[in-house]
Amino acid sequence: MSKSLEIQNLKINTFGINGQTILDVPYFNLEGERELVISGASGSGKTTFLYAIAGLFLKLNGKVSWNRSNLYNLASVERDKWRSQNLGMIFQNFQLLDELSVLDNILVPTGFDSFFCPKDMIYKAEKLADEFSISIHNSTIAHMSRGEKQRIALARALIKDAPIILADEPTASLDEANARNILEHLRKISEEGDKTLIIVSHDPAVMEQIDNKLLLEHGKIIKNTLPTISNVGAA
Amino acid sequence: MRQTSAAVTNQFDVIIGASGSKTDLLLATAFLQSKSLNLIPTEQMIDILAEDGLDFAAPIAFGDSYKSSPIIGTIAPFINHLSKDKLLEGKIFTTHEHAVIGANVKLKVGDVITPTHGEAMPEDEHHDEDEDEEHHEDEGAHNHEHVGSELTIVGRMQATATAWDNAIIIPIEMMWEIHGLANGHSEANEENIGLPFDNEYLTEASVMVLKPKSIAAAYRLRSEYDEHQTTAFFPAEIMAEFYMLMGDARQILTLMGYIVEALVIISILIGISIMFQLFSRQFAILRALGAPRLYIYLAIWGYIMSIVVVGIISGLLLAYGTSFLINDYIQSRVNISIVTSLSAAEIWMMLMALIIAAILAFFAPLAMMQQSITKQLARG
Ligand SMILES: Nc1ncnc2c1ncn2[C@@H]1O[C@H](COP(=O)(O)OP(=O)(O)OP(=O)(O)O)[C@@H](O)[C@H]1O
Ligand SMILES: [Mg+2]
């Protein structure tokens, strides 16, 4: 179920007169490896990288291919649909909907497919909330701690059992115990479901556990432990 | 209004009152709005009644009411004149206890009525006065016998397109008697009705309407009695002014309608732009999570339409609230309604607002979906 990812000649510039290149990836390939951790200094382009492979830019220079088909060749409607079906994403700042309840936030992705939320999805959301010690009652999103929000965002990313999980600093706001629990959970789910798990993290614990590492600096890959890149990079 | 203005100018040739506002006098004569008019001094009344070159000089006395009809006292020739020399049914009054009704009065010829004192307009004041009178009666004040005065309807006038159509007209002698005043005739001729009056027994009236025999006489009388004790004028002079005023009021109302309309559209636009500000990140989140276009579209469309509906409804309430307030005010002063119902123009304006809003609601989601997801997400 895991997917191959190939990036070719990806270049993302900021808009404006003195538009700068914030991400420049001539080639990158993930072929059969299920886990990847991306690290780098703040502002090095990690989030931008995730957005690019999530198909969140309306358009960009280069190719981002999942299972050999270029995401950016799809019409944006199709790309939205692709995201809905293939992606579980945890945003760096969670991007929860303050207007909704905790449970509804977790259930948002399931509401796209049918008008009424299926019963089993509600059950699943409650189970996820329980696993991540999220209290689904009497709490408003806006009043929650970053750690709580992070876990809700995580539950939302997992609700549809998507084959690709992109997690932007999923443990950054958590205490050590919670961080360990969540990392374990993520890895377990991705292993059991044969998912592709890409995590952006500074967390040494994360770095330690995941073998495949990508290091970004000023929008460029400066270190890649994956075997494929060196071949192509040399070519 | 135009109809009224023509009727007024044709039927009330020269109007004379005590010195004061000509507009008030005209309102009293044509619309029977007799808000505390001054009385013409008897001396002048005698002079006017003695003038040559007149078909008649009719004193008019206001004061009582029956149901919602004002009761007006005057003389027979004026009724004949107003009714185009031919009553619709019945005959003109020949005794003090007779009454003639206007074309629209909901009474029948042959009905007997007992008028109450005071004007037909404000209900509360009525009660006070009634109570006062009953009190007087208990004490045996015989002068004020009018609570018991019964009037028989003997005729109905033709329509005049003035407030007279809603009036009950009685001999002015009766009106004066009802109020315990000299009835215009000496004791020997007590039962007489109409002209001529005995000068010593004449009571002051607030308005006199003159029907001159010639244009020359009309101009002479108009200038002769437009002096410091009395006011004389042709209704047409005032009507033109009056009509202009009404036209202005109506124009102001229309203008206000447009302003409210514009405000509604502007507030809808502001509402939509605030919504863009507030919710664009939320919509970006939904898009990032892969929400289908229709889902996003309907969500945004729903938001906009709810703003639009709230905007238009409150706009309508605002527009009609204010225009009715203004209308009420005008009506309380002159008994003319200048806003009757939704005009075609107003319905059209509301439709325009709805159409503009619908177009906005149609395109706004499309515009919103053209925005960069990543940029909106960065706002969080
Ligand atoms: N829309 C944008 N316009 C201009 N500059 C941008 C935009 N988005 C990102 N950048 C810049 O691109 C660079 C990379 O940003 P990015 O968010 O990918 O960094 P990051 O590695 O995720 O940093 P952090 O660890 O702080 O989250 C930064 O310098 C950022 O300021
Ligand atoms: Mg980042």
Side-chain angles (χ1 to χ4, degrees):
Chain A
M1 203 183 175
S2 69
K3 308 244 175 178
S4 72
L5 169 65
E6 188 180 43
I7 298 175
Q8 287 162 280
N9 304 319
L10 173 63
K11 229 181 187 141
I12 293 174
N13 303 308
T14 58
F15 288 106
I17 308 160
N18 41 8
Q20 292 169 307
T21 301
I22 54 174
L23 192 66
D24 183 6
V25 180
Y27 189 83
F28 174 77
N29 188 16
L30 196 66
E31 188 83 54
E33 298 85 3
R34 282 193 310 96
E35 295 180 339
L36 175 72
V37 61
I38 303 169
S39 56
S42 177
S44 58
K46 305 182 293 293
T47 298
T48 308
F49 187 93
L50 276 197
Y51 282 178
I53 63 176
L56 285 179
F57 289 97
L58 294 182
K59 59 179 198 289
L60 46 66
N61 295 321
K63 284 184 184 173
V64 174
S65 306
W66 286 97
N67 279 5
R68 320 238 170 272
S69 94
N70 185 0
L71 203 49
Y72 289 90
N73 271 352
L74 294 175
S76 61
V77 179
E78 291 300 312
R79 220 182 310 141
D80 290 347
K81 196 169 166 194
W82 177 87
R83 267 202 305 280
S84 167
Q85 290 170 346
N86 294 281
L87 223 55
M89 187 148 182
I90 301 164
F91 295 91
Q92 192 168 8
N93 40 11
F94 322 127
Q95 308 288 13
L96 300 175
L97 298 162
D98 288 351
E99 295 79 7
L100 301 183
S101 71
V102 172
L103 203 61
D104 285 343
N105 260 285
I106 299 173
L107 286 167
V108 162
T110 68
F112 303 153
D113 309 320
S114 61
F115 192 75
F116 294 106
C117 188
K119 269 262 154 29
D120 57 322
M121 281 300 169
I122 298 175
Y123 173 72
K124 191 174 175 188
E126 285 169 348
K127 198 166 148 250
L128 282 169
D130 189 52
E131 272 171 54
F132 299 138
S133 329
I134 302 162
S135 76
I136 55 173
H137 302 292
N138 63 43
S139 20
T140 315
I141 297 286
H143 297 155
M144 291 191 150
S145 73
R146 287 184 62 80
E148 286 170 306
K149 287 182 183 176
Q150 185 134 53
R151 283 173 281 146
I152 296 167
L154 181 66
R156 182 177 69 184
L158 299 179
I159 188 78
K160 276 173 84 171
D161 208 20
I164 302 164
I165 296 170
L166 304 181
D168 202 345
E169 311 267 11
T171 60
S173 304
L174 303 176
D175 58 77
E176 213 176 305
N178 255 318
R180 202 182 320 114
N181 172 31
I182 272 159
L183 184 64
E184 270 173 24
H185 197 102
L186 269 177
R187 293 193 74 203
K188 191 165 142 262
I189 283 179
S190 97
E191 196 168 358
E192 282 170 1
D194 188 26
K195 298 176 192 303
T196 302
L197 174 64
I198 299 178
I199 301 179
V200 167
S201 185
H202 292 110
D203 190 342
V206 179
M207 311 269 278
E208 201 176 282
Q209 290 196 40
I210 295 174
D211 293 337
N212 305 316
K213 295 179 182 66
L214 204 62
L215 186 65
L216 290 181
E217 196 181 287
H218 301 306
K220 286 194 159 70
I221 298 174
I222 55 162
K223 194 176 151 207
N224 184 354
T225 63
L226 293 165
T228 45
I229 184 92
S230 46
N231 304 339
V232 182
Chain B
M1 271 297 302
R2 275 183 198 283
Q3 209 185 352
T4 308
S5 105
V8 168
T9 14
N10 294 338
Q11 295 173 95
F12 310 95
D13 289 27
V14 177
I15 294 173
I16 300 180
S19 54
S21 154
K22 290 178 181 176
T23 310
D24 284 355
L25 276 170
L26 181 68
L27 289 176
T29 314
F31 302 107
L32 303 177
Q33 304 278 304
S34 61
K35 291 251 163 77
S36 57
L37 286 178
N38 293 323
L39 298 166
I40 308 168
T42 340
E43 213 177 298
Q44 269 72 27
M45 280 184 70
I46 293 167
D47 287 350
I48 295 164
L49 289 165
E51 285 289 349
D52 293 332
L54 282 176
D55 276 343
F56 62 78
I60 295 170
F62 306 95
D64 290 19
S65 71
Y66 180 78
K67 302 260 166 79
S68 59
S69 297
I71 297 183
I72 311 296
T74 187
I75 57 168
F78 184 47
I79 306 296
N80 282 327
H81 168 64
L82 279 181
S83 190
K84 299 163 196 92
D85 295 322
K86 188 177 176 293
L87 290 187
L88 200 62
E89 52 175 316
K91 56 176 183 107
I92 198 75
F93 42 68
T94 49
T95 78
H96 293 194
E97 285 76 28
H98 283 172
V100 171
I101 51 178
N104 300 334
V105 175
K106 292 194 176 56
L107 287 170
K108 289 189 296 290
V109 171
D111 283 353
V112 176
I113 60 165
T114 309
T116 47
H117 181 65
E119 266 186 82
M121 302 274 292
E123 291 284 330
D124 303 342
E125 289 169 32
H126 256 251
H127 286 288
D128 288 354
E129 290 190 49
D130 283 350
E131 271 163 26
D132 270 3
E133 270 150 42
E134 266 152 31
H135 191 61
H136 273 287
E137 270 214 334
D138 291 346
E139 287 176 357
H142 289 294
N143 278 357
H144 244 229
E145 50 179 33
H146 94 262
V147 172
S149 336
E150 290 190 335
L151 302 168
T152 308
I153 315 284
V154 295
R156 183 189 294 277
M157 285 164 64
Q158 301 203 40
T160 63
T162 67
W164 288 75
D165 292 345
N166 186 40
I168 296 169
I169 305 103
I170 60 174
I172 196 161
E173 288 85 354
M174 187 60 172
M175 181 64 94
W176 285 330
E177 276 168 33
I178 280 174
H179 292 93
L181 303 163
N183 80 356
H185 304 282
S186 68
E187 270 146 59
N189 303 323
E190 206 179 38
E191 295 304 315
N192 274 17
I193 184 164
L195 301 170
F197 293 109
D198 290 324
N199 289 350
E200 284 103 284
Y201 296 89
L202 200 58
T203 293
E204 298 156 315
S206 17
V207 177
M208 292 191 77
V209 175
L210 275 54
K211 175 81 184 155
K213 284 198 167 83
S214 65
I215 293 177
Y219 275 91
R220 180 177 61 78
L221 290 162
R222 185 208 171 279
S223 63
E224 193 172 320
Y225 289 97
D226 201 20
E227 33 98 50
H228 66 280
Q229 297 261 42
T230 51
T231 309
F233 61 96
F234 301 128
E237 316 167 24
I238 307 305
M239 235 24 229
E241 234 174 80
F242 192 61
Y243 186 75
M244 240 161 62
L245 219 92
M246 284 298 160
D248 284 353
R250 208 184 297 235
Q251 248 165 20
I252 288 168
L253 279 185
T254 312
L255 185 70
M256 274 188 36
Y258 281 120
I259 290 171
V260 168
E261 203 77 13
L263 286 177
V264 166
I265 290 173
I266 288 170
S267 50
I268 287 172
L269 287 176
I270 290 172
I272 291 173
S273 77
I274 287 174
M275 188 207 68
F276 266 69
Q277 298 290 314
L278 284 180
F279 295 118
S280 58
R281 191 175 69 92
Q282 273 83 334
F283 289 123
I285 294 171
L286 291 173
R287 290 168 67 196
L289 295 175
R293 284 297 161 102
L294 191 63
Y295 182 100
I296 306 267
Y297 187 94
L298 289 179
I300 301 176
W301 189 85
Y303 266 117
I304 294 176
M305 283 322 267
S306 61
I307 291 172
V308 166
V309 167
V310 168
I312 286 185
I313 288 175
S314 48
L316 262 175
L317 291 180
L318 190 70
Y320 284 91
T322 38
S323 72
F324 278 122
L325 277 182
I326 292 176
N327 194 46
D328 260 16
Y329 174 73
I330 291 172
Q331 216 169 352
S332 75
R333 301 224 36 198
V334 298
N335 202 15
I336 293 171
S337 177
I338 55 172
V339 203
T340 42
S341 59
L342 279 170
S343 71
E346 282 153 345
I347 291 171
W348 179 236
M349 282 200 298
M350 280 299 150
L351 263 176
M352 281 296 287
L354 246 175
I355 288 168
I356 290 171
I359 291 171
L360 281 173
F362 181 84
F363 286 108
L366 300 180
M368 205 145 178
M369 285 189 270
Q370 292 307 308
Q371 291 185 317
S372 150
I373 299 174
T374 54
K375 223 176 254 172
Q376 300 305 323
L377 287 178
R379 289 156 56 121

